[in-house]
Amino acid sequence: MSLPSADLGDGTYANPVLDADWSDPDVLRVGEDYYLTASSFGRAPGLPLLHSRDLVNWTLVGHALPRLEPDAEFRTPRHDRGVWAPSLRHHDDRFWIFWGDPDQGIFQVNAPRIRGPWTRPHLIEAGQGLIDPCPLWDEETGEAYLVHAWAKSRSGVKNRLTGHRMHPDGTELLDEGKVIVDADTIPGWFTLEGPKLYRHDGWFWILAPAGGVATGWQGAFRSRGFFGPYEERVVLEQGDTGVNGPHQGGWVRTQAGEDWFVHFQQRGAHGRVVHLQPMRWGADGWPVIGEQGTPVAVHRKPALPPQPPAAPATDDDFPGGRFGRQWQWTANPREGWATQHSADGLRLTCVRSAGQDLRQLPNVLTQRLPGRECAVEVDLRLDGEEPGAAAGLAVLGDAYSWIGLRRGSDGTVRLVHRFAEADGAERDAGRAGPAPQGRARLRVEIGAGARCRFSADTGDGFRPSGQVFAATPWRWVGALLGLFAVAPEQPGPAGAALFTRFRVTPAEPPAGTSS
């Protein structure tokens, strides 16, 4: 199951269409099917793949990147590194995804079908600070091109786009590159990044955001030749709406001939949620996005065949010990962290570790924090016999808080609630007490502003624990829900924890209001 979709059921939809951290989205149509991918940073598997038939109702169908490479670099969490701002394309009967790793360079993978098999990552251009690549195969000339942006933190350069000729097989760049848009020469423009490259009406088009993630705008650039010169225009900005920084995404044309633009909005701990905007080409040949250049909140759906309501799954019964596609590890997984068995439930090994700061552990299984108010519940049984063995449900970010079970030195299992401020050590956060049979039902209620209230039921009903915890993102990544099992570092196995019936349910509307 999942939270409600953005489809209002009356021929309209409400933004955001993906109300969670599907960061830096790119969108593609192949036939009657629409596909979307997004940044996954240091989590594994990476490069999520979503599918839709109407651009409103989306499901998660897989990932293109089982593990990040090189493996040794991602055996520990790298929350703000890894896969940045991918581009999704279809060429020569294959799907292609290009992305920039800010510390390594530009990679690509490709596959004959969206569900794979995908090739292993191929580094087409090594270098630090090369980010946000987008390819274009020009059907008119047979040439192939690639444009990318720059991360100042690695290269000392930003606010410009560099263009290259690319080998048509997508394996390498054929020149040293040329700056084709220097936004330092455009008054008022800064932090130009995230380019998406297209051909339309005899022009080369680059749709690229500027102005910063939380406050910026969407720009359009056009030129008769790939290497410029380009002219520019702002085509989407906040205006008098509540959608801050509406930018970075992709353009798609439906089989009915309509144009639409998918982009993100930064929403604090909820990360970068995804909006769908109507788009048209004006009489002067420039794109007009949203309501005359500002985002829409509610709009008619694309003129496409009706689809059943859908949204990426959140709930999980973990059949046979397997977890759903919505889950990702905080680093490349190792064998034995989760074990399959004959019944339902996620059996996580209590992984031994010298430190137990959740921000630094690779064996935390996560999914995106929902963007709407909701309640999260999971049942937990701690089977680990090792004193200090612990397991729980976490809200994980630059600061984090978790509630769960820990075995004491006397062999008893107790409920614990812990938290850590940003860059601070973990300490007690609230309720503690015995947990008969080593069991508890854990609950987090997520309210407005990602304010989280923790509670637990150890046999006598839910009781609240501690103060409200305000979830926080990492630098580029929204907060995450996490399940984990740990134990102190010493020889020998430490047992396991069993999680069952993970559920995310929408918050009840206040009395006297409609749902």
Side-chain angles (χ1 to χ4, degrees), residues 358 391-394 400-404 406 416-418 426 454 484:
L358 299 187
L393 167 66
Y400 70 86
S401 185
W402 66 272
I403 193 166
R406 174 174 287 161
V416 295
H417 183 191
R418 306 275 287 173
E426 187 178 290
F454 288 77
F484 69 94

Side-chain angles (χ1 to χ4, degrees), residues 21-23 35-51 59-68 83 86 88 95-97 99 109-121 312-313 316 323-333 365-368 480:
D21 187 28
W22 302 95
S23 179
Y35 302 102
L36 183 147
T37 191
S39 296
S40 50
F41 298 96
R43 302 193 300 278
L47 289 173
L49 302 167
L50 291 89
H51 171 257
T59 57
L60 178 63
V61 297
H63 291 81
L65 189 63
R67 304 176 67 86
L68 290 91
V83 176
L88 176 62
F95 291 90
W96 301 76
I97 303 178
W99 76 93
V109 292
N110 59 86
R113 297 172 298 279
I114 196 69
R115 290 174 173 81
W118 290 85
T119 60
R120 286 189 62 175
D316 208 340
F323 48 85
R325 298 186 181 101
Q326 68 268 35
W327 297 96
Q328 296 170 290
W329 299 102
T330 48
N332 280 340
L365 191 63
T366 68
Q367 64 169 279
R368 293 160 179 83
L480 301 165

Side-chain angles (χ1 to χ4, degrees), residues 272-493:
R272 301 174 181 182
V273 302
V274 178
H275 291 240
L276 175 67
Q277 302 296 336
M279 175 174 157
R280 60 182 175 84
W281 294 90
D284 58 1
W286 286 87
V288 179
I289 299 177
E291 182 63 38
Q292 298 299 317
T294 60
V296 300
V298 176
H299 196 271
R300 70 161 181 86
K301 291 170 56 180
L304 295 169
Q307 301 296 321
T314 54
D315 296 358
D316 208 340
D317 286 320
F318 310 109
R322 296 177 294 273
F323 48 85
R325 298 186 181 101
Q326 68 268 35
W327 297 96
Q328 296 170 290
W329 299 102
T330 48
N332 280 340
R334 302 175 201 174
E335 187 175 354
W337 284 356
T339 57
Q340 295 186 15
H341 53 92
S342 59
D344 288 352
L346 175 68
R347 191 167 183 82
L348 292 184
T349 299
C350 293
V351 176
R352 292 190 181 276
S353 175
Q356 296 191 2
D357 186 323
L358 299 187
R359 294 165 294 203
Q360 300 173 17
L361 296 182
N363 57 299
V364 183
L365 191 63
T366 68
Q367 64 169 279
R368 293 160 179 83
L369 188 76
R372 63 181 64 193
E373 297 180 33
C374 62
V376 181
E377 286 188 16
V378 67
D379 290 340
L380 169 62
R381 186 185 76 206
L382 180 61
D383 298 328
E385 298 293 334
E386 182 78 20
L393 167 66
V395 177
L396 184 61
D398 195 38
Y400 70 86
S401 185
W402 66 272
I403 193 166
L405 301 176
R406 174 174 287 161
R407 189 171 296 277
S409 57
D410 62 356
T412 62
V413 175
R414 297 178 64 82
L415 178 75
V416 295
H417 183 191
R418 306 275 287 173
F419 87 107
E421 298 177 86
D423 301 321
E426 187 178 290
R427 61 186 196 268
D428 287 332
R431 182 183 169 195
Q437 290 83 48
R439 296 173 181 267
R441 176 167 290 180
L442 311 174
R443 180 180 176 94
V444 181
E445 295 175 72
I446 303 167
R451 293 171 64 81
C452 302
R453 294 182 180 273
F454 288 77
S455 59
D457 177 3
T458 55
D460 54 357
F462 276 106
R463 294 186 179 182
S465 180
Q467 302 301 310
V468 171
F469 171 74
T472 63
W474 281 290
R475 187 176 184 186
W476 310 121
V477 184
L480 301 165
L481 298 171
L483 304 177
F484 69 94
V486 294
E489 187 175 48
Q490 44 187 309

Side-chain angles (χ1 to χ4, degrees), residues 101 104-108 120-127 170-172:
D101 180 315
Q104 298 188 71
I106 297 172
F107 288 89
Q108 61 96 337
R120 286 189 62 175
H122 174 73
L123 183 65
I124 69 168
E125 182 73 7
T171 59
E172 62 180 329

Side-chain angles (χ1 to χ4, degrees), residues 61-92:
V61 297
H63 291 81
L65 189 63
R67 304 176 67 86
L68 290 91
E69 295 188 5
D71 181 76
E73 292 291 322
F74 293 96
R75 288 187 179 181
T76 56
R78 299 287 186 266
H79 297 295
D80 61 354
R81 301 184 184 183
V83 176
W84 284 23
S87 293
L88 176 62
R89 294 292 181 264
H90 191 258
H91 166 72
D92 197 23

Side-chain angles (χ1 to χ4, degrees), residues 188-192 209-217 247:
W189 283 59
F190 59 95
T191 317
L192 177 65
V213 167
T215 58
W217 57 89
H247 64 41

